[in-house]
Each structure stands twice: as structure tokens, then as C-alpha cells.
Amino acid sequence: MMCREPSAAQPATAATQNIANQVRSQIEEKENKKFPVFKAVSFSSQVVAGRNYFIKVHVGDEEFVHLRVFQSLPHENKPLTLSNYQTNKAKHDELSYF
């Protein structure tokens, strides 16, 4: 399987929000805080041995976080994993590979 560059960022969908919701507890635990808002704004994806989702999430006030969420191949039947994240992001910050 060939890895590709992440797709262009596009507006978040209900499916994107569902993915973000599934890893919300993971980032809240890592950051040791509860976010008052957790709304997916935009996303891109990358085919790997599964799929990486890069999601920009509004977490309150003017604060955003960028998530990298890994979805394994369907036959592996594994839960979504928060692979990495970036805090202190702003609305205008570009969503890119990290």
C-alpha cells in the first residue's frame, strides 16, 4: 500500500465530529483538562496502512487544537487512536501534517 500526502483541508462533517468525539477523552487526559467546547471545524485525511485524520477542533474562546487520529484497517477491528496533537492553535492556523 502506498502512503499519500494528506488531502486538502475541507469543512468538518458529522463523521469528522464523531471521530473527534471518540478521542476527546484521550486529549483531555493528556492535557489534564476538560474542554468546554469540542467542535470539529475542518479536516484532511491521509491513506497509510489505515487512515490518518487531521482535525482542527475549536475548544473554547479563540483556542483550537489540531488532532492526528489513526483509524486502522477495518479487518483489524481496533478503536481510533489519538496519534498526536498540537495545542495553542488559532482559527487561521493551517491544518497540515504533524
Side-chain angles (χ1 to χ4, degrees):
M1 179 174 289
M2 188 172 168
C3 294
R4 301 178 183 203
E5 291 293 317
S7 64
Q10 51 195 323
T13 63
T16 310
Q17 183 65 54
N18 184 43
I19 291 167
N21 290 343
Q22 289 184 59
V23 298
R24 180 177 184 166
S25 63
Q26 293 176 50
I27 188 170
E28 288 180 336
E29 183 178 320
K30 289 176 187 285
E31 285 295 299
N32 197 29
K33 70 190 234 183
K34 297 284 186 190
F35 296 110
V37 176
F38 205 76
K39 180 169 176 33
V41 175
S42 61
F43 80 101
S44 65
S45 63
Q46 176 189 37
V47 174
V48 290
R51 185 175 296 269
N52 282 323
Y53 289 95
F54 300 90
I55 307 172
K56 180 184 288 191
V57 179
H58 178 227
V59 292
D61 296 324
E62 297 298 314
E63 189 178 349
F64 291 77
V65 296
H66 290 183
L67 310 177
R68 185 171 80 208
V69 179
F70 177 70
Q71 181 181 44
S72 65
L73 295 170
H75 72 277
E76 294 176 330
N77 199 27
K78 294 181 179 176
L80 294 168
T81 305
L82 179 65
S83 300
N84 203 348
Y85 66 96
Q86 298 175 327
T87 58
N88 300 316
K89 293 301 210 174
K91 185 176 184 175
H92 66 271
D93 288 334
E94 183 179 334
L95 186 61
S96 59
Y97 182 89
F98 59 93

